[in-house]
Amino acid sequence: MGGCSSQSCHRCFFEYETERMIVVKSKVVGSVFRLIQFLILFYVIGYVCVVQKSYQETDSVISSVTTKVKGTGFTNTSDLGGRVWDVADYNIPPQGESSFFVLTNMIVTPNQTQSTCPELPNQSTICMSDSDCLEGSNDVRGNGIQTGLCMNYSETVKTCEVLSWCPLEIDINLPEHALLVAAEDFTVLIKNSVTYPKFNFHKRNILPDVNSSYLKQCEFNRKTDPDCPIFRLKDMVSEAEEDFQTMATRGGVLGIMIDWNCDLDWPEHYCGPKYSFRRLDNKIPENNVAPGYNFRFAKYYKTTDGRETRTLIKAYGIRFDVIVFGTVNAVCSWFLLTCTKRRDYYSKHKFTYLDNTDDNAGEPVSY
Amino acid sequence: MGGCSSQSCHRCFFEYETERMIVVKSKVVGSVFRLIQFLILFYVIGYVCVVQKSYQETDSVISSVTTKVKGTGFTNTSDLGGRVWDVADYNIPPQGESSFFVLTNMIVTPNQTQSTCPELPNQSTICMSDSDCLEGSNDVRGNGIQTGLCMNYSETVKTCEVLSWCPLEIDINLPEHALLVAAEDFTVLIKNSVTYPKFNFHKRNILPDVNSSYLKQCEFNRKTDPDCPIFRLKDMVSEAEEDFQTMATRGGVLGIMIDWNCDLDWPEHYCGPKYSFRRLDNKIPENNVAPGYNFRFAKYYKTTDGRETRTLIKAYGIRFDVIVFGTVNAVCSWFLLTCTKRRDYYSKHKFTYLDNTDDNAGEPVSY
Amino acid sequence: MGGCSSQSCHRCFFEYETERMIVVKSKVVGSVFRLIQFLILFYVIGYVCVVQKSYQETDSVISSVTTKVKGTGFTNTSDLGGRVWDVADYNIPPQGESSFFVLTNMIVTPNQTQSTCPELPNQSTICMSDSDCLEGSNDVRGNGIQTGLCMNYSETVKTCEVLSWCPLEIDINLPEHALLVAAEDFTVLIKNSVTYPKFNFHKRNILPDVNSSYLKQCEFNRKTDPDCPIFRLKDMVSEAEEDFQTMATRGGVLGIMIDWNCDLDWPEHYCGPKYSFRRLDNKIPENNVAPGYNFRFAKYYKTTDGRETRTLIKAYGIRFDVIVFGTVNAVCSWFLLTCTKRRDYYSKHKFTYLDNTDDNAGEPVSY
């Protein structure tokens, strides 16, 4: 504020300071000056406004996903005989959540009961006599509680006996070709509804122009049917550049990404889901330790005399994880909401919590 | 740096340049100048500091949710006879996770076995003779593997026979009124603990002033019991402006949002959960393709002769997704952590990873 | 633009304006001026560039988690007799997802059937005669539908009879010591693959230098085996500063955090997973209402005459939630991608959606 003494403060308050300017009249200097001005203007408009869209208001997606798998397959194994598999058999968990598993290969151990049997042979279980086995011992990598006896596992090998679900599962003979070969033709209907609460924008991946009869026979194809929400399992795996039969044999995890990034300043018509697929578990060849995806589950039965038996299934298959993401930008819609009377309308509907949802990107996607 | 030649560089280093100013003494110009200054100051303090709170430190929530549903219902159908349903029957998955399902309507197909039966009649399955059926054919929209025979489905219609779980489910007769009508009075206890790790702030939705006896009999009510963490299912659906019985008949997905946005500069007392409810799946009337929410699951049994039978259930109901979000702001607490000796205390506890959690908004909410 | 009249606009366009400067030659003023310049420079380089790394490009993690628990335990209870528990028995859900539950304590109610029995005695169920009971009444906190009769619950107490799964569960006698004590020695293998799509960076928590034989016998230890992805349950609980047996008795929720924050400008070698553990449910002593974690599930059987029976299990245990988070920074890698020809390579692979993933922090972690 330059030289304002306290006594002249009142007068000083109404002073206005400005720089003294020099005007240089030269075509060269002037051209350079204008060029620099233009570049700055170009940067602000071109990059900040058009590319970064910094002037726009943003909001993050709230999403809900349900899935439904269709198809039946047939297997013929020595353990189970001929058997038809439908969705209630191979789809685990059955709830149609955003993550679902399709069983494609398995090792079945039927008729297990709580009893005793010799351990599977390995360095720590092979024994010569009972003195090699410790009663009550419970190795975390073993299959049960040792009874202290040494029993014939085969004609040539003796192993320590364990109390366990017997007979034990022998999981070294995984079928080389996935048992449920038909799984590649199974289809899944993915229903996905999204909400951008700040803009009161709702949309689902079943677009308005899709009708029931189309939905009954369509199948997603990036070129011919990009809007069909029904996906053939093999097609999804192929788009992720994987081979279905290879993946089906040892299992894996496949991500189904649905991208809802939109610019609401354009007509709603342009805001639609974009699908992409990617294998999520790793199969780097040089680090191929513990590959694939499998888990064990059991079906429990009771015999007529009340004893419990179970069928143990080591299930190999593909877990599909639907991942929804998206941020929406808009300046027009935002002005509508902020400046017009509709604001009151929205306020009345208690959407006050919505101002914070952009801090929670992605959150609502998971279940 | 003006005209500094390299030889006079040392002298030049200690030069100071400033603009020559002009002071305009005019009440009008001075007033406008001060007004603009005031507006800028007002913008910085009022908008940046008070509204945006840009000076505050923020952190995102780490959350854990468990749920427990209570209530019993009674159904009386021709398939099952009179039957009581408790939580182990209708709550799927049973694990009390942040997403849980309450079964309200169903189509039950008991005593299915692996056998052969004529397909459900439709354009592609109706046949005149065996030559219309292709042995081994497996339509993804069908129910099994064709045997090549043409069988009587009813007295007037013949369809191709399939190997499948027979008898086949007939899902066209969904009960018009949800079978488990009592579900609207079921309650759910939601336990939600949140942590803002950067501020070492913990809180749960069961507030400190809630005791066991209150918890045993309370029920959430926005006006009279806003702190009770026990919710009646019908109340939640009503708050989302839906009708419970309509939603129960065909199923749906309901979001339970818990908002933990807090300003830690205020007393902890003011930082509590805010509940809101919103239907997440879509029911836009003009696009009512594939509405509702349902899935199929089976209970497996073995007969005395060792054959496997199952009861197939097409389950309709409401899936409740608990969605927790929140960002916390604080300037005081942050100063405490940053400037005082407690900083060492926290550093010792290896919370170094916490500085990055705000980039992971929402992440910990899911299980 | 100073005083440009419309007629002289062309000339005016090439004018260049600048301020008239004063040069003050004084060592004191010059020193202060340079010091201020230096401080500003120091702030920009030191804080903005080095500390905040604002010049770097960031990306958020896409992650996939699978888990597999190992170990067997033995329980000896009056209800079940001696019984061995393996992973298919105690691991619920069995799918090996990022959230898994290990059963450690339980209340078992075997042989329940749909029938009638007297309610558990409490204020509202104790009766003197049938007139105290209301037929058809269905208390949400009760266990079934009242039949209207008043029956002997014990020799001294009469309660209203209910139609329910009988006999009713008596859940007041929770074993003080967790039944499945061996659970503390169970191990879990966590497989976690992460992708930073913007930088085409993939890595898994099974590091390249880990081979199969090491993986077969290793166990995570922060000092001796920080890279082993196999964790002993007790060790994880201890790192969260909790006591395993206490937590096992009433249940709880434990978070396994995997931190993948990386600076890709350093060699890839430095970018590895950092594990930490934290109890997620709350056990604040002064607010110990509704502690622990438990849920009910049932195994269904059919008797030889076709009646359905079930074994109800109130399961207490520890739910482990694997939470993956991470943001990656890089300037070199980004330049590589942006400026070199590989850009075209990436563009061809249709990774256009990736530019927006940083808005969806955390999202892909959940399933």
Side-chain angles (χ1 to χ4, degrees):
Chain A
M1 277 312 89
C4 280
S5 68
S6 61
Q7 66 190 120
S8 63
C9 198
H10 176 76
R11 250 183 55 194
C12 180
F13 187 80
F14 290 107
E15 282 174 12
Y16 168 63
E17 291 174 342
T18 189
E19 295 106 8
R20 293 183 70 174
M21 308 302 275
I22 302 169
V23 177
V24 180
K25 296 194 177 175
S26 148
K27 281 213 171 184
V28 176
V29 175
S31 297
V32 171
F33 177 58
R34 292 296 167 208
L35 183 67
I36 291 167
Q37 276 191 332
F38 173 75
L39 286 176
I40 292 170
L41 206 72
F42 180 79
Y43 170 78
V44 170
I45 292 177
Y47 186 74
V48 177
C49 292
V50 177
V51 179
Q52 296 278 17
K53 302 196 171 171
S54 302
Y55 64 94
Q56 286 189 324
E57 189 75 356
T58 64
D59 191 12
S60 291
V61 70
I62 288 181
S63 154
S64 135
V65 173
T66 62
T67 58
K68 185 176 274 189
V69 186
K70 273 213 170 134
T72 45
F74 180 78
T75 63
N76 199 344
T77 61
S78 54
D79 287 324
L80 296 171
R83 188 190 159 102
V84 171
W85 295 77
D86 72 359
V87 63
D89 297 323
Y90 63 71
N91 187 21
I92 308 159
Q95 286 91 329
E97 303 200 352
S98 64
S99 179
F100 62 95
F101 171 82
V102 173
L103 186 145
T104 52
N105 206 0
M106 73 202 95
I107 294 167
V108 179
T109 314
N111 298 320
Q112 287 190 325
T113 57
Q114 294 266 339
S115 51
T116 58
C117 47
E119 255 286 13
L120 302 180
N122 66 38
Q123 274 190 326
S124 64
T125 59
I126 290 177
C127 56
M128 303 301 288
S129 71
D130 291 358
S131 60
D132 294 341
C133 301
L134 182 64
E135 191 182 340
S137 160
N138 178 9
D139 181 11
V140 75
R141 281 157 230 272
N143 290 296
I145 318 293
Q146 292 194 11
T147 59
L149 302 180
C150 185
M151 305 287 281
N152 287 325
Y153 178 77
S154 63
E155 284 183 19
T156 54
V157 178
K158 287 181 121 185
T159 59
C160 293
E161 191 191 56
V162 287
L163 175 62
S164 181
W165 285 100
C166 291
L168 297 177
E169 176 192 271
I170 298 165
D171 71 347
I172 50 175
N173 294 320
L174 177 66
E176 267 178 53
H177 297 285
L179 288 177
L180 211 62
V181 285
E184 64 182 31
D185 290 322
F186 294 173
T187 59
V188 59
L189 164 63
I190 298 177
K191 287 198 270 179
N192 175 216
S193 294
V194 294
T195 301
Y196 287 106
K198 204 186 275 179
F199 301 106
N200 204 30
F201 177 84
H202 305 273
K203 201 152 185 184
R204 63 200 298 222
N205 68 333
I206 302 179
L207 300 176
D209 52 333
V210 168
N211 58 36
S212 288
S213 61
Y214 175 70
L215 207 59
K216 266 191 187 141
Q217 48 80 23
C218 77
E219 205 172 271
F220 176 82
N221 182 301
R222 200 168 285 285
K223 282 174 193 156
T224 60
D225 287 84
D227 291 341
C228 178
I230 297 176
F231 301 84
R232 191 161 157 258
L233 300 197
K234 188 179 186 178
D235 292 347
M236 293 195 288
V237 174
S238 299
E239 286 236 3
E241 295 178 4
E242 299 284 336
D243 175 56
F244 189 90
Q245 290 303 334
T246 310
M247 202 166 166
T249 307
R250 301 206 67 108
V253 183
L254 196 89
I256 303 171
M257 276 80 157
I258 307 181
D259 179 358
W260 281 97
N261 286 300
C262 291
D263 189 332
L264 292 188
D265 292 339
W266 296 85
E268 190 196 307
H269 177 74
Y270 289 101
C271 180
K274 284 176 220 79
Y275 303 99
S276 59
F277 309 92
R278 177 189 279 269
R279 184 164 183 173
L280 294 183
D281 68 321
N282 214 322
K283 48 145 214 173
I284 306 173
E286 68 265 35
N287 184 2
N288 206 9
V289 174
Y293 177 59
N294 65 71
F295 59 88
R296 286 183 181 83
F297 71 99
K299 290 194 264 184
Y300 296 87
Y301 307 102
K302 266 194 183 163
T303 59
T304 45
D305 57 348
R307 286 185 66 205
E308 197 173 20
T309 73
R310 72 174 194 185
T311 298
L312 179 66
I313 295 160
K314 184 171 183 181
Y316 293 79
I318 305 176
R319 192 177 79 197
F320 295 86
D321 292 343
V322 182
I323 298 169
V324 180
F325 57 89
T327 314
V328 77
N329 297 302
V331 58
C332 302
S333 320
W334 182 76
F335 273 121
L336 273 176
L337 290 184
T338 312
C339 307
T340 68
K341 290 192 177 169
R342 296 189 68 193
R343 189 182 192 174
D344 298 315
Y345 171 78
Y346 288 112
S347 304
K348 268 181 207 149
H349 283 69
K350 297 196 202 102
F351 284 160
T352 48
Y353 68 88
L354 302 177
D355 292 303
N356 301 296
T357 44
D358 47 344
D359 296 311
N360 300 284
E363 206 168 47
V365 176
S366 54
Y367 8 95
Chain B
M1 276 311 91
C4 281
S5 70
S6 63
Q7 65 189 120
S8 63
C9 200
H10 176 78
R11 249 182 59 194
C12 180
F13 187 81
F14 291 106
E15 283 175 10
Y16 168 63
E17 293 174 339
T18 188
E19 295 105 11
R20 293 183 68 175
M21 307 302 276
I22 303 168
V23 177
V24 181
K25 296 191 179 177
S26 148
K27 284 212 170 183
V28 176
V29 174
S31 299
V32 171
F33 177 57
R34 293 295 168 207
L35 182 67
I36 290 168
Q37 276 191 331
F38 173 77
L39 285 177
I40 290 170
L41 207 71
F42 179 80
Y43 170 79
V44 169
I45 293 178
Y47 186 73
V48 178
C49 293
V50 176
V51 178
Q52 296 278 17
K53 302 195 171 172
S54 303
Y55 63 93
Q56 286 189 324
E57 189 75 356
T58 64
D59 191 13
S60 289
V61 70
I62 288 182
S63 153
S64 136
V65 172
T66 62
T67 57
K68 186 177 272 190
V69 186
K70 275 212 169 136
T72 46
F74 181 79
T75 62
N76 200 343
T77 61
S78 56
D79 287 324
L80 296 171
R83 186 190 160 103
V84 171
W85 295 76
D86 72 359
V87 64
D89 298 323
Y90 63 70
N91 187 21
I92 307 159
Q95 286 91 329
E97 302 198 354
S98 64
S99 179
F100 62 95
F101 171 82
V102 173
L103 185 146
T104 51
N105 207 0
M106 74 201 93
I107 294 167
V108 179
T109 315
N111 297 320
Q112 286 189 327
T113 57
Q114 293 266 340
S115 50
T116 57
C117 47
E119 255 286 14
L120 302 179
N122 66 38
Q123 275 188 325
S124 65
T125 59
I126 289 177
C127 57
M128 302 302 286
S129 69
D130 292 356
S131 60
D132 295 340
C133 301
L134 183 63
E135 191 181 340
S137 158
N138 177 10
D139 181 10
V140 75
R141 282 156 230 274
N143 290 296
I145 318 293
Q146 291 195 12
T147 60
L149 303 180
C150 186
M151 305 287 282
N152 287 326
Y153 177 78
S154 64
E155 284 184 19
T156 53
V157 178
K158 286 180 124 186
T159 60
C160 293
E161 192 192 53
V162 287
L163 174 63
S164 182
W165 285 101
C166 293
L168 296 177
E169 176 192 271
I170 299 164
D171 71 346
I172 50 176
N173 294 320
L174 178 68
E176 267 179 53
H177 297 285
L179 289 176
L180 209 64
V181 285
E184 64 182 31
D185 290 321
F186 294 173
T187 59
V188 59
L189 164 63
I190 297 176
K191 287 199 271 179
N192 176 215
S193 294
V194 294
T195 301
Y196 287 106
K198 204 186 275 180
F199 302 107
N200 205 28
F201 178 84
H202 305 274
K203 202 155 185 181
R204 66 201 295 223
N205 69 333
I206 303 178
L207 299 175
D209 51 334
V210 168
N211 58 36
S212 288
S213 61
Y214 174 71
L215 207 60
K216 266 192 186 140
Q217 46 83 25
C218 79
E219 205 171 272
F220 175 82
N221 183 300
R222 201 168 285 283
K223 281 174 192 155
T224 60
D225 287 82
D227 291 341
C228 178
I230 297 175
F231 302 84
R232 191 162 157 259
L233 300 195
K234 188 180 186 177
D235 291 348
M236 291 194 289
V237 174
S238 299
E239 286 234 5
E241 295 177 4
E242 299 285 336
D243 176 55
F244 188 90
Q245 290 302 332
T246 309
M247 202 165 166
T249 306
R250 301 207 68 107
V253 182
L254 196 90
I256 303 172
M257 275 82 158
I258 307 182
D259 179 358
W260 281 98
N261 285 300
C262 291
D263 189 332
L264 292 188
D265 292 338
W266 296 86
E268 190 196 305
H269 177 75
Y270 289 101
C271 180
K274 285 175 221 79
Y275 303 99
S276 59
F277 309 92
R278 176 188 278 268
R279 184 165 185 173
L280 293 184
D281 68 320
N282 214 323
K283 50 146 214 173
I284 306 173
E286 68 265 32
N287 183 3
N288 206 10
V289 174
Y293 177 60
N294 64 71
F295 59 88
R296 287 183 180 84
F297 71 99
K299 290 195 265 185
Y300 296 87
Y301 308 101
K302 266 195 183 162
T303 59
T304 45
D305 57 349
R307 286 185 65 207
E308 197 173 20
T309 73
R310 72 174 195 185
T311 299
L312 179 67
I313 294 161
K314 185 171 183 181
Y316 294 78
I318 305 175
R319 191 177 80 197
F320 294 87
D321 292 343
V322 182
I323 297 167
V324 180
F325 56 89
T327 314
V328 76
N329 297 302
V331 58
C332 302
S333 319
W334 181 77
F335 273 121
L336 273 176
L337 290 185
T338 310
C339 306
T340 69
K341 291 194 178 169
R342 297 190 67 193
R343 191 185 191 173
D344 297 316
Y345 171 78
Y346 288 112
S347 304
K348 270 183 206 148
H349 283 69
K350 299 196 199 99
F351 283 160
T352 48
Y353 68 89
L354 302 176
D355 293 303
N356 302 297
T357 45
D358 46 346
D359 296 310
N360 300 284
E363 203 170 50
V365 176
S366 56
Y367 10 96
Chain C
M1 279 309 92
C4 281
S5 70
S6 62
Q7 65 189 122
S8 63
C9 201
H10 177 76
R11 249 182 59 192
C12 180
F13 186 80
F14 291 107
E15 282 175 11
Y16 168 62
E17 293 174 340
T18 187
E19 296 106 9
R20 292 183 69 176
M21 309 300 276
I22 302 168
V23 177
V24 181
K25 297 193 177 174
S26 149
K27 283 214 168 180
V28 176
V29 174
S31 299
V32 170
F33 176 58
R34 293 296 168 205
L35 183 67
I36 291 167
Q37 275 190 330
F38 174 77
L39 286 176
I40 290 170
L41 206 71
F42 179 80
Y43 170 79
V44 170
I45 292 177
Y47 185 74
V48 177
C49 292
V50 178
V51 179
Q52 297 277 15
K53 302 195 170 170
S54 303
Y55 63 94
Q56 287 190 323
E57 189 76 355
T58 63
D59 191 13
S60 291
V61 70
I62 288 183
S63 153
S64 134
V65 173
T66 63
T67 58
K68 184 177 274 190
V69 187
K70 274 213 168 135
T72 45
F74 180 79
T75 62
N76 200 343
T77 62
S78 55
D79 287 324
L80 295 172
R83 186 190 160 102
V84 171
W85 295 76
D86 73 358
V87 63
D89 297 324
Y90 62 71
N91 187 21
I92 308 158
Q95 288 90 329
E97 303 199 352
S98 64
S99 179
F100 62 96
F101 171 82
V102 173
L103 186 145
T104 51
N105 206 2
M106 74 200 93
I107 293 166
V108 179
T109 314
N111 298 319
Q112 285 190 326
T113 57
Q114 293 266 340
S115 51
T116 58
C117 46
E119 255 285 14
L120 301 180
N122 66 36
Q123 276 189 325
S124 65
T125 60
I126 289 176
C127 57
M128 303 301 288
S129 70
D130 291 356
S131 60
D132 294 341
C133 301
L134 182 63
E135 191 183 339
S137 159
N138 177 10
D139 181 10
V140 75
R141 281 157 231 272
N143 290 295
I145 318 294
Q146 292 195 11
T147 59
L149 303 179
C150 186
M151 305 288 282
N152 288 326
Y153 177 77
S154 64
E155 284 186 17
T156 54
V157 178
K158 286 181 123 184
T159 59
C160 291
E161 192 192 53
V162 286
L163 174 63
S164 182
W165 284 101
C166 292
L168 296 177
E169 175 192 272
I170 299 164
D171 71 347
I172 51 176
N173 294 321
L174 178 67
E176 269 179 51
H177 297 285
L179 288 176
L180 210 63
V181 286
E184 64 182 29
D185 290 322
F186 294 172
T187 59
V188 60
L189 163 64
I190 298 177
K191 287 198 271 179
N192 176 214
S193 293
V194 295
T195 301
Y196 287 106
K198 205 186 275 179
F199 301 106
N200 205 28
F201 177 85
H202 305 274
K203 202 153 183 182
R204 65 200 296 223
N205 69 333
I206 302 178
L207 299 177
D209 51 334
V210 168
N211 59 36
S212 288
S213 61
Y214 174 71
L215 207 60
K216 264 190 188 143
Q217 46 82 23
C218 77
E219 206 172 273
F220 175 82
N221 183 301
R222 200 168 285 285
K223 282 174 194 156
T224 60
D225 287 83
D227 291 340
C228 178
I230 298 176
F231 302 85
R232 192 162 156 258
L233 300 196
K234 189 180 186 178
D235 291 348
M236 292 195 288
V237 175
S238 299
E239 285 235 5
E241 296 177 3
E242 299 284 335
D243 176 56
F244 189 90
Q245 290 303 331
T246 309
M247 203 165 166
T249 306
R250 301 207 67 108
V253 183
L254 196 89
I256 302 173
M257 276 81 158
I258 306 182
D259 179 357
W260 281 97
N261 286 300
C262 291
D263 189 333
L264 291 189
D265 292 338
W266 296 87
E268 191 196 307
H269 177 74
Y270 290 101
C271 180
K274 286 177 220 77
Y275 303 100
S276 58
F277 308 93
R278 176 189 279 269
R279 184 166 183 171
L280 293 184
D281 68 321
N282 214 322
K283 49 145 214 173
I284 306 173
E286 67 265 33
N287 185 2
N288 206 8
V289 173
Y293 177 60
N294 64 71
F295 59 88
R296 286 183 181 84
F297 71 98
K299 289 195 265 186
Y300 296 86
Y301 308 102
K302 265 194 184 164
T303 60
T304 45
D305 57 348
R307 285 186 67 206
E308 196 174 19
T309 73
R310 72 174 195 186
T311 298
L312 179 66
I313 294 160
K314 185 172 182 181
Y316 294 78
I318 305 176
R319 191 176 79 198
F320 294 87
D321 292 343
V322 181
I323 298 168
V324 180
F325 57 89
T327 314
V328 77
N329 295 304
V331 60
C332 301
S333 320
W334 181 77
F335 273 122
L336 272 177
L337 290 184
T338 311
C339 306
T340 69
K341 290 192 177 169
R342 296 190 67 193
R343 189 183 192 174
D344 298 316
Y345 171 78
Y346 289 112
S347 303
K348 268 181 207 147
H349 282 68
K350 299 198 200 94
F351 284 160
T352 48
Y353 67 89
L354 304 176
D355 293 302
N356 302 296
T357 45
D358 47 346
D359 297 310
N360 300 285
E363 203 171 48
V365 177
S366 53
Y367 14 96

